[in-house]
Each structure stands twice: as structure tokens, then as C-alpha cells.
């Protein structure tokens, strides 16, 4: 399991963790394009709705993004 997966899991499922960590995270910290995109989706969602996104909401938004291959999306 990658550290990014742990971070994303907590950003989606652990509100206390997310509220403490999101102000300090930047998309530049994620080297993989897909990881950077997932972080941007989560960050935008939290800023817009002031709540954590569900996995389904992230998946829907990710499917609407251009520039990702099918293999990247599945990953």
C-alpha cells in the first residue's frame, strides 16, 4: 500500500484527520499525475461543500476529468 492511498483513505473517511491535514497539503507533494488529480478533486470538494467527499463522488469527478487513460482511472 502506498502512502498516498493511506492519505486519500483518511481524507475521505476521517473528518478529524482531513480537517487537520488539508490546510497543509499541496498538490505538488504528489508526484504521480493520478494522485495529484485525486488530491485536487478532494481539496476542491472540501473547499466547495465544506464536507468530505464520498468515494463515489471522487470516482464520478475523476471520470469527468480529461487527460486520464482508462488504466489510470482504474488504478
Amino acid at each position: 500500500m502506498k502512502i498516498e492511498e493511506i492519505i486519500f483513505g483518511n481524507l475521505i473517511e476521517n473528518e478529524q484527520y482531513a480537517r487537520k491535514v488539508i490546510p497543509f497539503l499541496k498538490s505538488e507533494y504528489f508526484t504521480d499525475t493520478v494522485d495529484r488529480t485525486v488530491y485536487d478533486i478532494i481539496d476542491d470538494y472540501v473547499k466547495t461543500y465544506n464536507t468530505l467527499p464520498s468515494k463515489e463522488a471522487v470516482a464520478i469527478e475523476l471520470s469527468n476529468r480529461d487527460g486520464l487513460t482508462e488504466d489510470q482511472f482504474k488504478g
Side-chain angles (χ1 to χ4, degrees):
M1 182 174 276
K2 297 183 338 181
I3 187 70
E4 291 87 351
E5 292 173 6
I6 296 169
I7 292 170
F8 295 146
N10 280 309
L11 287 178
I12 291 174
E13 297 176 3
N14 186 340
E15 186 163 354
Q16 189 175 24
Y17 171 87
R19 299 284 178 196
K20 289 181 181 179
V21 171
I22 285 180
F24 300 103
L25 286 178
K26 297 180 182 179
S27 63
E28 299 90 42
Y29 296 161
F30 300 97
T31 57
D32 185 64
T33 306
V34 177
D35 292 341
R36 187 174 295 145
T37 303
V38 171
Y39 170 72
D40 288 338
I41 290 169
I42 294 170
D43 188 47
D44 291 344
Y45 192 95
V46 170
K47 287 178 181 175
T48 303
Y49 301 106
N50 196 27
T51 188
L52 302 182
S54 66
K55 290 179 185 177
E56 293 80 17
V58 173
I60 291 169
E61 186 63 34
L62 198 58
S63 69
N64 293 334
R65 295 276 173 119
D66 293 332
L68 292 178
T69 66
E70 189 174 333
D71 291 335
Q72 289 175 323
F73 176 74
K74 288 180 182 178

